[in-house]
Coordinates of all heavy atoms in Angstrom, one line a residue:
M1 N 0.8 -1.2 0.0 CA 0.0 0.0 0.0 C 0.9 1.2 0.0 O 1.9 1.3 0.7 CB -0.9 0.0 1.2 CG -1.9 1.1 1.3 SD -3.1 0.6 2.6 CE -4.5 1.3 1.8
I2 N 0.5 2.3 -0.8 CA 1.2 3.5 -0.9 C 0.8 4.4 0.2 O -0.4 4.7 0.5 CB 0.9 4.2 -2.2 CG1 1.4 3.2 -3.4 CG2 1.7 5.5 -2.3 CD1 1.0 3.7 -4.7
P3 N 1.8 5.0 0.9 CA 1.5 6.0 2.0 C 0.9 7.3 1.5 O 1.3 7.7 0.4 CB 2.8 6.2 2.7 CG 3.9 5.7 1.8 CD 3.3 4.8 0.8
A4 N 0.0 7.8 2.2 CA -0.6 9.1 1.8 C 0.3 10.3 1.9 O 1.1 10.4 2.8 CB -1.9 9.4 2.6
A5 N 0.3 11.1 0.8 CA 1.2 12.3 0.8 C 0.4 13.5 1.0 O -0.7 13.6 0.6 CB 2.0 12.3 -0.5
T6 N 1.0 14.5 1.6 CA 0.3 15.8 1.9 C 1.1 16.9 1.1 O 2.3 16.9 1.2 CB 0.3 16.1 3.4 OG1 -0.3 15.1 4.1 CG2 -0.5 17.4 3.6
V7 N 0.4 17.7 0.4 CA 1.0 18.8 -0.4 C 0.4 20.1 0.1 O -0.8 20.2 0.1 CB 0.7 18.6 -1.9 CG1 1.3 19.8 -2.7 CG2 1.3 17.3 -2.4
N8 N 1.2 21.0 0.5 CA 0.8 22.3 1.0 C 1.3 23.3 0.0 O 2.4 23.4 -0.4 CB 1.4 22.7 2.3 CG 0.8 21.8 3.4 OD1 -0.4 21.4 3.4 ND2 1.6 21.5 4.4
I9 N 0.3 24.2 -0.5 CA 0.7 25.2 -1.4 C 0.4 26.6 -0.7 O -0.7 26.8 -0.3 CB -0.1 25.1 -2.7 CG1 0.1 23.8 -3.4 CG2 0.1 26.3 -3.6 CD1 -0.7 23.5 -4.6
E10 N 1.4 27.4 -0.7 CA 1.3 28.7 -0.1 C 1.3 29.8 -1.2 O 2.2 29.7 -2.1 CB 2.4 29.0 0.9 CG 2.3 28.2 2.1 CD 3.4 28.5 3.1 OE1 3.9 29.7 3.1 OE2 3.7 27.6 3.9
V11 N 0.3 30.6 -1.2 CA 0.2 31.6 -2.3 C 0.4 33.0 -1.7 O -0.3 33.4 -0.7 CB -1.2 31.5 -3.0 CG1 -1.4 32.6 -4.0 CG2 -1.5 30.1 -3.5
D12 N 1.2 33.8 -2.3 CA 1.5 35.1 -1.9 C 0.5 36.1 -2.7 O 0.7 36.3 -3.9 CB 2.9 35.5 -2.2 CG 3.3 36.9 -1.7 OD1 2.4 37.6 -1.2 OD2 4.5 37.3 -1.8
Q13 N -0.6 36.5 -2.0 CA -1.6 37.2 -2.7 C -1.1 38.6 -3.2 O -1.5 39.0 -4.3 CB -2.8 37.5 -1.7 CG -3.5 36.2 -1.2 CD -4.3 35.6 -2.4 OE1 -4.7 36.2 -3.3 NE2 -4.4 34.3 -2.3
Q14 N -0.2 39.2 -2.5 CA 0.3 40.5 -2.9 C 1.2 40.3 -4.2 O 1.1 41.2 -5.1 CB 1.2 41.1 -1.8 CG 0.3 41.6 -0.6 CD 1.2 42.2 0.5 OE1 2.4 41.9 0.6 NE2 0.5 42.9 1.4
A15 N 2.0 39.3 -4.2 CA 2.8 39.1 -5.4 C 1.9 38.8 -6.6 O 2.2 39.3 -7.7 CB 3.8 37.9 -5.2
I16 N 0.9 38.0 -6.5 CA 0.0 37.7 -7.6 C -0.7 39.0 -8.0 O -0.8 39.3 -9.2 CB -1.0 36.7 -7.2 CG1 -0.3 35.3 -7.0 CG2 -2.1 36.5 -8.2 CD1 -1.2 34.2 -6.4
A17 N -1.2 39.8 -7.1 CA -1.8 41.1 -7.5 C -0.9 42.0 -8.2 O -1.2 42.7 -9.2 CB -2.4 41.8 -6.2
R18 N 0.4 42.1 -7.8 CA 1.4 42.9 -8.4 C 1.7 42.4 -9.8 O 1.7 43.2 -10.8 CB 2.7 42.9 -7.6 CG 3.7 43.9 -8.1 CD 5.0 43.9 -7.3 NE 5.7 42.7 -7.4 CZ 5.9 41.8 -6.4 NH1 5.4 42.0 -5.2 NH2 6.5 40.7 -6.6
I19 N 1.8 41.1 -10.0 CA 2.0 40.6 -11.4 C 0.9 40.8 -12.3 O 1.1 41.2 -13.4 CB 2.3 39.1 -11.3 CG1 3.7 38.8 -10.6 CG2 2.3 38.4 -12.6 CD1 3.9 37.4 -10.2
I20 N -0.3 40.7 -11.8 CA -1.5 41.0 -12.6 C -1.6 42.4 -13.0 O -1.8 42.8 -14.1 CB -2.8 40.5 -11.9 CG1 -2.9 39.0 -11.8 CG2 -4.1 41.1 -12.6 CD1 -4.0 38.5 -10.9
E21 N -1.3 43.3 -12.0 CA -1.3 44.7 -12.3 C -0.3 45.1 -13.4 O -0.5 45.9 -14.3 CB -1.1 45.5 -11.0 CG -1.2 47.0 -11.2 CD -1.0 47.7 -9.9 OE1 -1.5 47.2 -8.8 OE2 -0.4 48.8 -9.9
E22 N 0.9 44.5 -13.3 CA 2.0 44.8 -14.2 C 1.6 44.3 -15.6 O 1.8 45.1 -16.6 CB 3.3 44.1 -13.8 CG 4.0 44.7 -12.7 CD 5.2 43.9 -12.2 OE1 5.5 42.8 -12.8 OE2 5.8 44.3 -11.2
Q23 N 1.0 43.2 -15.7 CA 0.5 42.7 -17.0 C -0.6 43.5 -17.6 O -0.5 43.8 -18.8 CB 0.1 41.2 -16.9 CG 1.2 40.2 -16.6 CD 2.3 40.2 -17.6 OE1 2.0 40.2 -18.8 NE2 3.5 40.2 -17.2
I24 N -1.5 43.9 -16.8 CA -2.6 44.8 -17.3 C -2.0 46.1 -17.8 O -2.3 46.7 -18.9 CB -3.6 45.0 -16.2 CG1 -4.4 43.7 -16.0 CG2 -4.6 46.2 -16.6 CD1 -5.4 43.8 -14.8
S25 N -1.1 46.7 -17.0 CA -0.4 47.9 -17.4 C 0.3 47.8 -18.7 O 0.3 48.7 -19.6 CB 0.5 48.4 -16.3 OG 1.2 49.5 -16.6
K26 N 1.0 46.7 -18.9 CA 1.7 46.5 -20.2 C 0.8 46.5 -21.3 O 1.1 47.1 -22.4 CB 2.5 45.2 -20.1 CG 3.8 45.2 -19.3 CD 4.5 43.9 -19.4 CE 5.7 43.9 -18.4 NZ 6.3 42.5 -18.4
Q27 N -0.3 45.8 -21.2 CA -1.3 45.7 -22.3 C -1.9 47.1 -22.6 O -2.1 47.4 -23.8 CB -2.4 44.7 -21.9 CG -2.0 43.3 -21.8 CD -1.4 42.8 -23.1 OE1 -2.0 43.1 -24.2 NE2 -0.3 42.1 -23.1
V28 N -2.2 47.9 -21.6 CA -2.8 49.2 -21.8 C -1.8 50.1 -22.5 O -2.1 50.8 -23.5 CB -3.2 49.8 -20.5 CG1 -3.6 51.3 -20.7 CG2 -4.5 49.1 -20.0
H29 N -0.5 50.1 -22.1 CA 0.5 50.9 -22.6 C 0.9 50.5 -24.0 O 1.2 51.3 -24.9 CB 1.8 50.9 -21.7 CG 1.6 51.7 -20.5 ND1 1.5 53.0 -20.4 CD2 1.4 51.2 -19.2 CE1 1.3 53.4 -19.2 NE2 1.2 52.3 -18.4
Q30 N 0.8 49.2 -24.3 CA 1.1 48.8 -25.7 C 0.1 49.2 -26.7 O 0.4 49.4 -27.9 CB 1.3 47.2 -25.7 CG 2.5 46.7 -25.0 CD 2.6 45.2 -25.0 OE1 1.6 44.5 -25.4 NE2 3.7 44.7 -24.5
Q31 N -1.1 49.4 -26.3 CA -2.1 49.8 -27.2 C -2.2 51.3 -27.5 O -2.8 51.8 -28.4 CB -3.5 49.3 -26.7 CG -3.5 47.8 -26.7 CD -4.9 47.2 -26.3 OE1 -5.8 48.0 -26.1 NE2 -4.9 45.9 -26.1
L32 N -1.5 52.1 -26.6 CA -1.5 53.5 -26.8 C -0.5 53.9 -27.9 O 0.6 53.5 -27.8 CB -1.1 54.3 -25.5 CG -2.2 54.3 -24.4 CD1 -1.6 54.9 -23.2 CD2 -3.4 55.0 -24.8
L33 N -0.9 54.7 -28.8 CA 0.0 55.2 -29.8 C 0.4 56.7 -29.5 O 1.5 57.0 -29.4 CB -0.6 55.1 -31.2 CG 0.3 55.7 -32.3 CD1 1.6 55.0 -32.4 CD2 -0.5 55.7 -33.7
L34 N -0.7 57.5 -29.3 CA -0.5 58.9 -28.9 C -1.2 59.2 -27.6 O -2.2 58.5 -27.3 CB -1.1 59.8 -30.0 CG -0.4 59.7 -31.4 CD1 -1.2 60.4 -32.4 CD2 1.0 60.2 -31.3
M35 N -0.7 60.2 -26.9 CA -1.4 60.6 -25.7 C -1.5 62.1 -25.7 O -0.6 62.8 -26.2 CB -0.6 60.3 -24.4 CG -0.3 58.8 -24.3 SD 0.7 58.5 -22.8 CE 2.2 59.4 -23.1
D36 N -2.6 62.6 -25.2 CA -2.7 64.1 -25.0 C -2.3 64.4 -23.5 O -2.1 63.5 -22.8 CB -4.1 64.6 -25.4 CG -5.2 64.1 -24.5 OD1 -5.0 63.3 -23.6 OD2 -6.3 64.6 -24.7
I37 N -2.3 65.6 -23.2 CA -1.9 66.0 -21.9 C -2.8 65.5 -20.8 O -2.3 65.1 -19.7 CB -1.7 67.6 -21.7 CG1 -0.9 67.9 -20.5 CG2 -3.1 68.3 -21.8 CD1 -0.4 69.3 -20.4
N38 N -4.1 65.3 -21.1 CA -5.0 64.8 -20.1 C -4.7 63.3 -19.8 O -4.8 62.9 -18.6 CB -6.4 65.0 -20.5 CG -6.8 66.4 -20.6 OD1 -6.4 67.2 -19.7 ND2 -7.6 66.8 -21.5
K39 N -4.4 62.6 -20.8 CA -4.0 61.2 -20.6 C -2.7 61.0 -19.9 O -2.6 60.2 -19.0 CB -3.9 60.5 -22.0 CG -3.7 59.0 -21.9 CD -4.9 58.3 -21.2 CE -4.8 56.8 -21.3 NZ -6.0 56.2 -20.6
I40 N -1.7 61.9 -20.2 CA -0.5 61.8 -19.4 C -0.7 62.2 -18.0 O -0.2 61.5 -17.1 CB 0.6 62.8 -20.0 CG1 0.9 62.4 -21.5 CG2 1.8 62.9 -19.2 CD1 1.8 63.4 -22.2
A41 N -1.6 63.1 -17.7 CA -1.9 63.5 -16.3 C -2.5 62.3 -15.6 O -2.2 62.1 -14.4 CB -2.8 64.7 -16.3
E42 N -3.4 61.6 -16.3 CA -4.1 60.5 -15.7 C -3.1 59.4 -15.4 O -3.1 58.8 -14.3 CB -5.2 60.0 -16.7 CG -5.9 58.8 -16.2 CD -6.9 58.2 -17.3 OE1 -7.4 59.0 -18.1 OE2 -7.1 57.0 -17.3
L43 N -2.2 59.1 -16.3 CA -1.3 58.0 -16.1 C -0.2 58.3 -15.1 O 0.3 57.4 -14.4 CB -0.6 57.6 -17.5 CG -1.5 57.0 -18.5 CD1 -0.8 56.9 -19.9 CD2 -2.0 55.6 -18.1
T44 N 0.2 59.5 -15.0 CA 1.2 59.9 -14.0 C 0.7 60.4 -12.7 O 1.5 60.6 -11.8 CB 2.2 61.0 -14.6 OG1 1.4 62.1 -14.9 CG2 2.8 60.5 -15.9
S45 N -0.6 60.6 -12.6 CA -1.1 61.2 -11.4 C -0.5 62.6 -11.1 O -0.4 63.0 -9.9 CB -1.0 60.3 -10.2 OG -1.7 59.1 -10.4
M46 N -0.2 63.3 -12.1 CA 0.4 64.7 -11.9 C -0.7 65.6 -12.5 O -1.4 65.3 -13.5 CB 1.7 64.8 -12.7 CG 2.8 64.0 -12.1 SD 4.3 64.2 -13.1 CE 5.4 63.0 -12.4
S47 N -0.7 66.8 -12.0 CA -1.6 67.8 -12.6 C -1.1 68.3 -14.0 O 0.1 68.2 -14.3 CB -1.8 69.0 -11.6 OG -0.6 69.8 -11.6
V48 N -2.1 68.8 -14.7 CA -1.7 69.3 -16.1 C -0.7 70.5 -15.9 O 0.2 70.6 -16.7 CB -3.0 69.8 -16.8 CG1 -2.7 70.5 -18.1 CG2 -3.9 68.6 -17.1
R49 N -1.0 71.3 -15.0 CA -0.1 72.5 -14.8 C 1.3 72.1 -14.4 O 2.3 72.6 -14.9 CB -0.7 73.4 -13.7 CG 0.2 74.6 -13.5 CD -0.5 75.6 -12.5 NE 0.4 76.6 -12.2 CZ 0.3 77.9 -12.6 NH1 -0.7 78.2 -13.4 NH2 1.2 78.8 -12.3
Y50 N 1.4 71.1 -13.5 CA 2.7 70.6 -13.1 C 3.5 69.9 -14.3 O 4.7 70.1 -14.5 CB 2.6 69.6 -12.0 CG 4.0 69.1 -11.4 CD1 4.7 70.0 -10.6 CD2 4.6 68.0 -11.9 CE1 5.9 69.6 -10.1 CE2 5.8 67.6 -11.4 CZ 6.5 68.4 -10.5 OH 7.7 68.0 -10.1
L51 N 2.7 69.2 -15.1 CA 3.3 68.6 -16.3 C 3.8 69.7 -17.2 O 4.9 69.5 -17.8 CB 2.3 67.7 -17.0 CG 2.0 66.4 -16.4 CD1 0.7 65.7 -17.0 CD2 3.2 65.4 -16.5
E52 N 3.0 70.7 -17.4 CA 3.4 71.8 -18.3 C 4.7 72.4 -17.8 O 5.6 72.7 -18.6 CB 2.3 72.8 -18.4 CG 1.2 72.4 -19.2 CD 1.4 72.5 -20.7 OE1 2.5 72.9 -21.2 OE2 0.5 72.1 -21.5
D53 N 4.8 72.7 -16.5 CA 5.9 73.4 -15.9 C 7.2 72.6 -15.8 O 8.3 73.1 -16.1 CB 5.5 74.0 -14.6 CG 4.4 75.1 -14.6 OD1 4.2 75.6 -15.7 OD2 3.8 75.3 -13.6
E54 N 7.0 71.4 -15.4 CA 8.2 70.6 -15.0 C 8.6 69.4 -16.0 O 9.8 69.1 -16.1 CB 8.0 69.9 -13.7 CG 7.7 70.9 -12.6 CD 8.9 71.8 -12.2 OE1 10.1 71.3 -12.4 OE2 8.7 72.9 -11.8
I55 N 7.6 68.8 -16.7 CA 7.9 67.6 -17.5 C 7.9 67.9 -19.0 O 8.9 67.6 -19.7 CB 6.9 66.5 -17.1 CG1 6.9 66.2 -15.6 CG2 7.2 65.3 -18.0 CD1 8.1 65.6 -15.1
L56 N 6.9 68.5 -19.5 CA 6.7 68.6 -20.9 C 7.6 69.6 -21.5 O 7.9 69.6 -22.7 CB 5.2 69.0 -21.3 CG 4.2 68.0 -20.8 CD1 2.8 68.4 -21.2 CD2 4.5 66.6 -21.3
S57 N 8.2 70.5 -20.7 CA 9.2 71.4 -21.2 C 10.6 70.8 -21.4 O 11.5 71.4 -22.0 CB 9.3 72.7 -20.4 OG 9.6 72.3 -19.0
D58 N 10.8 69.7 -20.8 CA 12.1 69.0 -20.9 C 12.4 68.5 -22.3 O 11.5 67.9 -22.9 CB 12.1 67.8 -19.9 CG 13.4 67.2 -19.7 OD1 13.9 66.6 -20.7 OD2 13.9 67.3 -18.6
P59 N 13.6 68.7 -22.8 CA 13.9 68.3 -24.2 C 13.7 66.8 -24.4 O 13.4 66.4 -25.6 CB 15.3 68.7 -24.4 CG 15.7 69.5 -23.2 CD 14.7 69.3 -22.1
R60 N 13.9 66.0 -23.4 CA 13.7 64.5 -23.6 C 12.2 64.2 -23.9 O 12.0 63.1 -24.5 CB 14.1 63.8 -22.3 CG 15.6 63.9 -22.1 CD 16.0 63.3 -20.7 NE 15.7 64.3 -19.7 CZ 16.0 64.2 -18.4 NH1 16.7 63.1 -18.0 NH2 15.7 65.1 -17.6
V61 N 11.3 65.0 -23.4 CA 9.9 64.8 -23.7 C 9.5 65.6 -25.0 O 8.7 65.1 -25.8 CB 9.0 65.1 -22.5 CG1 7.5 65.0 -22.8 CG2 9.4 64.3 -21.3
R62 N 10.0 66.7 -25.1 CA 9.6 67.6 -26.2 C 9.9 67.0 -27.6 O 9.1 67.3 -28.5 CB 10.4 68.9 -26.1 CG 9.5 70.0 -25.8 CD 10.2 71.3 -26.0 NE 9.1 72.2 -26.4 CZ 9.1 73.4 -26.0 NH1 10.0 73.9 -25.2 NH2 8.1 74.2 -26.4
M63 N 10.9 66.2 -27.7 CA 11.2 65.6 -29.0 C 10.1 64.6 -29.5 O 10.0 64.3 -30.7 CB 12.5 64.9 -28.9 CG 12.6 63.7 -28.0 SD 14.2 63.1 -27.7 CE 14.8 62.6 -29.3
Y64 N 9.2 64.2 -28.6 CA 8.1 63.3 -29.0 C 6.8 64.0 -29.1 O 5.8 63.3 -29.3 CB 8.0 62.2 -27.9 CG 9.3 61.4 -27.8 CD1 10.0 61.4 -26.6 CD2 9.8 60.7 -28.9 CE1 11.2 60.7 -26.5 CE2 11.0 60.0 -28.8 CZ 11.7 60.0 -27.6 OH 12.9 59.3 -27.5
E65 N 6.8 65.3 -29.0 CA 5.6 66.1 -29.2 C 5.2 66.2 -30.6 O 6.1 66.5 -31.5 CB 5.8 67.4 -28.5 CG 4.5 68.3 -28.6 CD 4.8 69.7 -27.9 OE1 5.7 69.8 -27.2 OE2 4.0 70.6 -28.2
R66 N 3.9 66.1 -30.9 CA 3.4 66.3 -32.3 C 2.3 67.3 -32.2 O 1.5 67.3 -31.2 CB 2.9 65.0 -32.9 CG 3.9 63.9 -32.9 CD 5.0 64.2 -33.9 NE 6.0 63.1 -34.0 CZ 7.1 63.0 -33.4 NH1 7.5 64.0 -32.5 NH2 7.9 62.0 -33.6
K67 N 2.2 68.3 -33.1 CA 1.2 69.3 -33.1 C 0.4 69.4 -34.4 O 1.0 69.1 -35.4 CB 1.8 70.7 -32.9 CG 2.5 70.9 -31.6 CD 3.1 72.3 -31.5 CE 3.9 72.6 -30.3 NZ 4.4 73.9 -30.2
K68 N -0.8 69.7 -34.3 CA -1.7 70.0 -35.4 C -2.6 71.1 -35.0 O -3.4 70.9 -34.1 CB -2.5 68.8 -35.9 CG -3.4 69.2 -37.0 CD -3.5 68.1 -38.0 CE -4.5 68.6 -39.1 NZ -4.3 67.9 -40.3
Q69 N -2.4 72.3 -35.6 CA -3.1 73.5 -35.2 C -2.8 73.7 -33.7 O -1.6 73.9 -33.4 CB -4.5 73.4 -35.5 CG -4.8 73.3 -37.0 CD -6.2 73.0 -37.4 OE1 -7.1 72.9 -36.5 NE2 -6.5 73.0 -38.7
R70 N -3.8 73.7 -32.9 CA -3.5 74.0 -31.5 C -3.5 72.8 -30.6 O -3.2 72.9 -29.4 CB -4.6 75.0 -31.0 CG -4.6 76.3 -31.7 CD -5.7 77.2 -31.3 NE -5.6 77.6 -29.9 CZ -6.6 78.3 -29.3 NH1 -7.6 78.7 -29.9 NH2 -6.4 78.6 -28.0
K71 N -3.7 71.6 -31.1 CA -3.8 70.4 -30.4 C -2.4 69.8 -30.3 O -1.7 69.8 -31.3 CB -4.8 69.4 -31.0 CG -5.0 68.1 -30.3 CD -5.6 68.3 -28.9 CE -5.8 67.0 -28.3 NZ -6.1 67.0 -26.9
R72 N -2.0 69.2 -29.2 CA -0.7 68.6 -29.0 C -0.9 67.1 -28.5 O -1.8 66.8 -27.7 CB 0.1 69.3 -27.9 CG 0.4 70.7 -28.3 CD 1.3 71.4 -27.3 NE 0.7 71.3 -26.0 CZ 1.3 71.6 -24.8 NH1 2.6 71.8 -24.8 NH2 0.7 71.5 -23.7
W73 N -0.1 66.2 -29.1 CA 0.0 64.8 -28.7 C 1.4 64.5 -28.5 O 2.3 65.1 -29.0 CB -0.6 63.9 -29.7 CG -2.1 64.1 -30.0 CD1 -3.1 63.6 -29.4 CD2 -2.6 64.9 -31.1 NE1 -4.3 64.0 -29.9 CE2 -4.0 64.8 -31.0 CE3 -2.1 65.7 -32.1 CZ2 -4.9 65.4 -31.9 CZ3 -2.9 66.3 -33.0 CH2 -4.3 66.2 -32.8
W74 N 1.6 63.4 -27.7 CA 3.0 62.8 -27.6 C 2.9 61.4 -27.9 O 2.0 60.7 -27.6 CB 3.4 63.0 -26.1 CG 3.7 64.5 -25.8 CD1 4.9 65.1 -25.8 CD2 2.8 65.5 -25.4 NE1 4.8 66.4 -25.5 CE2 3.5 66.7 -25.2 CE3 1.4 65.5 -25.2 CZ2 2.9 67.9 -24.9 CZ3 0.8 66.7 -24.9 CH2 1.5 67.9 -24.7
L75 N 4.0 60.9 -28.5 CA 4.1 59.4 -28.8 C 4.2 58.7 -27.4 O 5.0 59.1 -26.6 CB 5.4 59.2 -29.6 CG 5.4 59.8 -31.0 CD1 6.8 59.6 -31.6 CD2 4.3 59.2 -31.9
A76 N 3.3 57.7 -27.3 CA 3.1 57.2 -25.9 C 4.3 56.5 -25.3 O 4.8 56.9 -24.3 CB 1.9 56.2 -26.0
Q77 N 4.9 55.5 -26.0 CA 5.9 54.7 -25.4 C 7.2 55.5 -25.1 O 7.7 55.5 -23.9 CB 6.2 53.5 -26.2 CG 5.1 52.5 -26.3 CD 4.6 52.0 -25.0 OE1 5.4 51.7 -24.1 NE2 3.3 52.0 -24.8
P78 N 7.7 56.2 -26.0 CA 9.0 57.0 -25.7 C 8.8 58.1 -24.7 O 9.6 58.4 -23.9 CB 9.4 57.5 -27.1 CG 8.3 57.3 -28.0 CD 7.4 56.3 -27.5
T79 N 7.6 58.7 -24.7 CA 7.3 59.7 -23.8 C 7.2 59.2 -22.4 O 7.8 59.8 -21.4 CB 6.0 60.5 -24.1 OG1 6.1 61.0 -25.5 CG2 5.7 61.6 -23.1
L80 N 6.6 58.1 -22.2 CA 6.5 57.5 -20.9 C 7.9 57.1 -20.4 O 8.2 57.2 -19.2 CB 5.6 56.3 -20.9 CG 4.1 56.6 -21.1 CD1 3.3 55.3 -21.2 CD2 3.5 57.5 -19.9
K81 N 8.7 56.6 -21.2 CA 10.1 56.2 -20.8 C 10.9 57.5 -20.5 O 11.6 57.5 -19.5 CB 10.8 55.5 -22.0 CG 10.3 54.1 -22.1 CD 11.0 53.4 -23.3 CE 10.4 52.0 -23.4 NZ 10.9 51.2 -24.6
A82 N 10.7 58.5 -21.2 CA 11.4 59.8 -20.9 C 10.9 60.4 -19.6 O 11.7 60.8 -18.7 CB 11.2 60.8 -22.0
I83 N 9.6 60.3 -19.3 CA 9.1 60.8 -18.0 C 9.7 59.9 -16.9 O 10.0 60.4 -15.8 CB 7.6 60.8 -18.0 CG1 7.0 61.8 -19.0 CG2 7.0 61.0 -16.6 CD1 5.5 61.8 -19.2
E84 N 9.7 58.6 -17.1 CA 10.3 57.7 -16.1 C 11.8 58.1 -15.8 O 12.2 58.1 -14.6 CB 10.2 56.3 -16.5 CG 10.7 55.3 -15.5 CD 10.4 53.9 -16.0 OE1 9.6 53.6 -16.8 OE2 11.2 53.0 -15.4
E85 N 12.5 58.4 -16.8 CA 13.9 58.8 -16.7 C 14.0 60.1 -15.9 O 14.9 60.3 -15.0 CB 14.5 59.0 -18.1 CG 16.0 59.3 -18.1 CD 16.5 59.5 -19.5 OE1 16.2 58.6 -20.4 OE2 17.2 60.5 -19.8
I86 N 13.1 61.1 -16.2 CA 13.1 62.4 -15.5 C 12.8 62.2 -14.0 O 13.5 62.7 -13.2 CB 12.1 63.4 -16.2 CG1 12.6 63.7 -17.6 CG2 11.9 64.6 -15.3 CD1 11.5 64.4 -18.4
V87 N 11.8 61.4 -13.8 CA 11.4 61.2 -12.4 C 12.5 60.4 -11.6 O 12.7 60.7 -10.4 CB 10.0 60.5 -12.3 CG1 9.6 60.1 -10.9 CG2 8.9 61.4 -12.9
S88 N 13.1 59.5 -12.3 CA 14.2 58.7 -11.6 C 15.4 59.6 -11.2 O 16.1 59.3 -10.3 CB 14.7 57.6 -12.5 OG 13.6 56.7 -12.7
S89 N 15.6 60.7 -11.9 CA 16.7 61.5 -11.6 C 16.4 62.5 -10.4 O 17.3 63.3 -10.0 CB 17.1 62.3 -12.8 OG 16.2 63.3 -13.2
W90 N 15.2 62.5 -9.9 CA 14.9 63.5 -8.8 C 15.5 63.0 -7.5 O 15.7 62.2 -7.0 CB 13.4 63.6 -8.6 CG 12.7 64.3 -9.7 CD1 13.3 65.1 -10.7 CD2 11.3 64.4 -10.0 NE1 12.3 65.6 -11.5 CE2 11.1 65.2 -11.1 CE3 10.2 63.8 -9.4 CZ2 9.9 65.4 -11.6 CZ3 9.0 64.0 -9.9 CH2 8.8 64.8 -11.0

């Protein structure tokens, strides 16, 4: 007769939640091509005024800006990477 075996599985709920959040974030960011200032404000949790004063005037972000008449957009992926670089240097 085979002896009974016991298997215990421990799940780290916080790690699972973090992994799921990262994967969702990747999917959302991959689908963005352009962002306007309101979308950047939403993604970064920064105010539009703060973005204008501190982030969007930086040459690393300005190079990804596109304009048509009075409307401005930024290329999503490179702009987010530039913002991350700026914030990391604080």
Side-chain angles (χ1 to χ4, degrees):
M1 184 166 218
I2 300 175
T6 305
V7 177
N8 292 328
I9 299 175
E10 294 183 25
V11 178
D12 185 357
Q13 296 292 335
Q14 291 177 342
I16 291 173
R18 188 179 67 248
I19 291 169
I20 291 171
E21 185 176 322
E22 287 173 3
Q23 292 300 317
I24 290 172
S25 178
K26 283 181 186 177
Q27 292 299 318
V28 168
H29 289 285
Q30 286 177 355
Q31 294 181 9
L32 288 176
L33 176 62
L34 297 172
M35 303 181 296
D36 65 358
I37 193 164
N38 295 323
K39 186 65 173 178
I40 296 172
E42 178 185 332
L43 291 173
T44 60
S45 299
M46 296 177 184
S47 71
V48 171
R49 182 176 172 106
Y50 186 80
L51 285 168
E52 287 283 358
D53 294 343
E54 301 292 329
I55 304 293
L56 300 179
S57 60
D58 191 292
R60 293 172 284 187
V61 175
R62 245 192 151 141
M63 65 191 300
Y64 302 115
E65 182 179 343
R66 304 295 184 259
K67 293 182 187 180
K68 176 141 182 161
Q69 296 171 356
R70 296 174 66 184
K71 183 67 178 166
R72 298 181 304 163
W73 296 275
W74 289 264
L75 298 173
Q77 296 305 316
T79 301
L80 291 173
K81 287 179 184 177
I83 292 171
E84 185 176 336
E85 183 180 312
I86 293 166
V87 172
S88 295
S89 68
W90 289 346

